[in-house]
Amino acid sequence: MTDPYKTLGLGREASAAEIKSAYRKLAKKHHPDVNPDDEEGARARFQFVSAAYELLSDERKRREY
């Protein structure tokens, strides 16, 4: 997995609110329902963004990373 901060376009000092905002923006952009022409590619990008958010949104997981 690449750097989740880089995936969301954030620095390591990002706050929880900034992480959530970046995730929502990218989730809307890459959601498969919004990209019917490239549904498989969109699904893969969406899952990648979701995994990064899952790691960074949990304070314990974020500290371990």
Side-chain angles (χ1 to χ4, degrees):
M1 178 180 198
T2 62
D3 185 4
Y5 290 100
K6 187 175 180 180
T7 300
L8 296 178
L10 299 170
R12 292 195 177 273
E13 68 286 343
S15 68
E18 291 171 322
I19 292 169
K20 187 174 187 176
S21 176
Y23 166 70
R24 286 185 173 182
K25 179 181 171 185
L26 290 171
K28 286 180 185 178
K29 179 179 178 182
H30 296 298
H31 196 280
D33 291 345
V34 177
N35 298 288
D37 297 339
D38 182 24
E39 194 170 327
E40 287 302 314
R43 181 175 284 114
R45 291 187 301 274
F46 182 76
Q47 289 175 341
F48 198 60
V49 168
S50 295
Y53 177 69
E54 183 180 335
L55 176 70
L56 296 179
S57 65
D58 185 329
E59 196 61 40
R60 183 181 51 81
K61 290 179 184 178
R62 186 176 178 187
R63 275 195 307 268
E64 289 176 7
Y65 175 76

